[in-house]
Amino acid sequence: MLQQSELIFDFASDHVNMSQLMGYSDYPAVIVEQVPLPHQLLYAGLACEQIQTEQDHQQLLKVEPCESGEEETMETLVAADSLLNMDCPDSLSLEQHYSQTFLPSLGDVITTPVTQVTVSAEGIVGAFDQPQWHSLHTGKPASRLQSRKRGGNTLYLWQFLMELLQDRQVCPRYIKWTNANAGIFKLVNSKAVARLWGKHKNKPDMNYETMGRALRYYYQRGILNKVEGQRLVYQFTSLPKDMIYITDGEGTKEEEDDENDDISGHDDGVSDNSDDSTIPSSDQSVEEEDSHPPQKKMLTSSVKAPATQRSRPSHRPSAQRDTVLRPTNASLIQEQHLPIVSAEMLRTFQNLQKVQSLQPRGHASVFQTAQLLGSLCEQQAAAEGSVEGQDETSQPGQKTLQVETPQLVTLTSSDQ
DNA sequence: GATGGCCTAATTAGGACTTCCGGTGT
DNA sequence: CACACCGGAAGTCCTAATTAGGCCAT
């Protein structure tokens, strides 16, 4: 029988190269996308244990398109509030809290809030972690950089900025694209962004000067460039393949840098609702923003596509949260997700007798994983025939995923 | 007693900032 | 004058890898 740890190990170590595995290139890669709404409910105090019945589970899985952006904002704020006001005796970072909350032990398989497992026959597209980005864009070997890779919970500054740029609570209010095609963005409110970063890093004294030093180090490392002649304007040298681009939209007010910015009136510097609310959504979606030639996607209140972007019809409701809309990019495969994937799969394992008869020839557990996913696909196909009317795969976000990646097979946990 | 396997704690090495600073440009 | 910006230098924090030591079974 497949060992849990083995399964996890293979997901953790092989996700980048699964599609390259000799002899198994036809087997699917696994992408997990978490739908934030359940997270928000959980953040708001809904215990995981309460999600044990399938009915409950399906309720969580359902992500209703938000008709009102205000309601959505309220949800966000509630979630943000519960996160940011949560006492963390050990000064846990949000990521830590996140992982502790949603990364169940394997013993908690049943209550794991997995919301979606996407199986792609194409393998993982663009699954580059930061070292690979370095390798890709600086010509330096990734091996050295990977030798000391950081934990899955670490969010780098550049990732943080990308998260902010994909967070409608912050973009374009505090940070915005000035030229999405070129990856150029502006820190509209540098102080606010710095404070958010400081909050994120548990560095209450963080300011733009300090954060700026970190940004300048990115010049050397080829992650950022400075846009000459423009203050507070930087350029990503590369962007994730499926970056979500928020442009200035109606109802979103930019706040230029000034002393009246909301976050500056409190002891901890970042206690204002509007600012605090930005952190959770960023942190909830701590997917690593990996580097890729821009294959951009503009979403927002006013969703725009860059001129160079291939036209891609978007069926996403504009009011939906960005994190909900996060596409299936490779960055979704994170170490922090891996146990969830495994747990979900293992749950399915319980119903799949034939897995035991598999005969892996090499990359054993990867093979087993692939076989399992094949079984999942079969189950999905069977389930689709029986499901009437309401199909989770018809949710806006997932529907979009299928449009964008035609060969995707989307599975939800309700398929079990 | 020797050997090997396992576990744990301590140490080491490195990355990613953070802090401080002096300086320049706008 | 304030602020953005620059880059050197030293430090902190965190993580992964390595090493050392103890325990146990053979």
Side-chain angles (χ1 to χ4, degrees):
Chain A
M1 188 62 183
L2 186 64
Q3 298 299 310
Q4 293 178 346
S5 58
E6 184 182 5
L7 187 61
I8 292 171
F9 171 80
D10 279 315
F11 269 94
S13 60
D14 297 339
H15 66 273
V16 170
N17 294 319
M18 280 183 69
S19 62
Q20 302 168 1
L21 291 176
M22 185 175 67
Y24 303 108
S25 59
D26 292 333
Y27 292 107
V30 178
I31 298 171
V32 173
E33 182 160 6
Q34 296 180 318
V35 180
L37 182 57
H39 293 178
Q40 295 174 7
L41 293 174
L42 289 164
Y43 281 135
L46 183 62
C48 289
E49 288 74 12
Q50 294 176 327
I51 321 169
Q52 291 187 351
T53 68
E54 184 158 337
Q55 187 177 8
D56 288 342
H57 204 153
Q58 289 191 5
Q59 283 178 347
L60 287 178
L61 294 179
K62 265 185 186 173
V63 180
E64 299 294 342
C66 193
E67 298 295 334
S68 161
E70 294 169 354
E71 290 179 8
E72 179 179 73
T73 299
M74 284 304 297
E75 282 181 293
T76 304
L77 291 176
V78 168
D81 194 57
S82 57
L83 249 186
L84 289 164
N85 293 324
M86 188 176 299
D87 285 337
C88 295
D90 299 328
S91 299
L92 292 173
S93 69
L94 291 170
E95 292 87 351
Q96 288 172 316
H97 170 71
Y98 180 86
S99 64
Q100 287 174 357
T101 304
F102 297 108
L103 296 185
S105 66
L106 289 173
D108 296 333
V109 166
I110 299 304
T111 59
T112 305
V114 171
T115 55
Q116 181 179 331
V117 175
T118 302
V119 181
S120 169
E122 295 177 323
I124 297 171
V125 179
F128 292 113
D129 56 14
Q130 192 192 23
Q132 288 177 307
W133 185 13
H134 271 277
S135 179
L136 189 65
H137 295 283
T138 67
K140 297 176 182 176
S143 56
R144 175 175 146 76
L145 290 158
Q146 283 177 312
S147 66
R148 297 281 180 183
K149 71 170 185 177
R150 301 182 49 134
N153 286 335
T154 303
L155 188 68
Y156 300 107
L157 174 57
W158 62 269
Q159 293 175 309
F160 182 79
L161 293 175
M162 284 188 178
E163 291 290 340
L164 294 185
L165 283 163
Q166 295 176 90
D167 190 329
R168 206 174 295 123
Q169 300 288 332
V170 193
C171 178
R173 192 181 181 190
Y174 298 147
I175 184 174
K176 71 174 183 179
W177 292 110
T178 60
N179 185 341
N181 287 321
I184 299 173
F185 64 97
K186 179 179 182 179
L187 301 173
V188 178
N189 188 332
S190 60
K191 294 173 186 172
V193 172
R195 288 195 188 99
L196 288 172
W197 175 239
K199 181 83 174 181
H200 173 82
K201 293 292 292 290
N202 196 25
K203 294 280 184 180
D205 295 334
M206 178 60 62
N207 52 36
Y208 177 66
E209 184 180 359
T210 298
M211 189 183 77
R213 183 71 191 98
L215 292 175
R216 290 196 294 277
Y217 270 122
Y218 282 158
Y219 302 162
Q220 305 167 9
R221 293 156 60 192
I223 296 173
L224 280 183
N225 290 325
K226 185 71 184 75
V227 176
E228 297 293 333
Q230 297 183 59
R231 288 188 165 193
L232 302 173
V233 178
Y234 298 87
Q235 178 182 29
F236 285 112
T237 60
S238 183
L239 291 167
K241 184 174 181 178
D242 291 320
M243 187 82 181
I244 296 172
Y245 293 88
I246 300 176
T247 60
D248 300 2
E250 70 284 351
T252 311
K253 178 185 171 186
E254 290 180 30
E255 284 190 6
E256 293 293 340
D257 239 341
D258 58 37
E259 291 304 324
N260 295 327
D261 67 84
D262 292 331
I263 31 190
S264 62
H266 227 286
D267 291 352
D268 62 2
V270 192
S271 56
D272 172 78
N273 281 346
S274 59
D275 284 312
D276 288 355
S277 67
T278 65
I279 293 182
S281 62
S282 294
D283 285 333
Q284 284 174 20
S285 51
V286 183
E287 291 84 4
E288 289 186 18
E289 304 299 343
D290 302 318
S291 72
H292 263 294
Q295 177 186 344
K296 303 176 181 177
K297 196 171 301 176
M298 304 284 262
L299 297 176
T300 70
S301 339
S302 60
V303 179
K304 297 176 183 177
T308 57
Q309 178 190 0
R310 70 180 181 206
S311 66
R312 203 188 269 177
S314 172
H315 303 292
R316 295 163 171 167
S318 61
Q320 199 163 355
R321 281 186 54 78
D322 299 330
T323 43
V324 175
L325 297 169
R326 183 68 48 86
T328 340
N329 63 353
S331 67
L332 292 168
I333 303 173
Q334 290 183 66
E335 292 177 40
Q336 64 192 55
H337 287 152
L338 298 175
I340 297 178
V341 180
S342 302
E344 183 72 4
M345 293 173 62
L346 287 167
R347 194 188 318 176
T348 305
F349 255 120
Q350 297 169 354
N351 299 323
L352 296 176
Q353 298 291 329
K354 70 179 185 179
V355 174
Q356 297 182 17
S357 64
L358 298 177
Q359 299 295 326
R361 293 168 296 173
H363 300 291
S365 53
V366 174
F367 177 82
Q368 290 167 326
T369 298
Q371 289 286 353
L372 168 64
L373 290 169
S375 300
L376 284 170
C377 290
E378 294 175 9
Q379 278 206 329
Q380 162 73 5
E384 281 178 353
S386 61
V387 172
E388 56 182 357
Q390 277 199 333
D391 183 358
E392 269 78 12
T393 61
S394 64
Q395 291 172 16
Q398 298 181 15
K399 186 173 185 176
T400 303
L401 296 179
Q402 290 181 317
V403 169
E404 294 167 358
T405 312
Q407 296 184 37
L408 284 180
V409 177
T410 302
L411 303 177
T412 67
S413 52
S414 63
D415 291 323
Q416 298 162 51

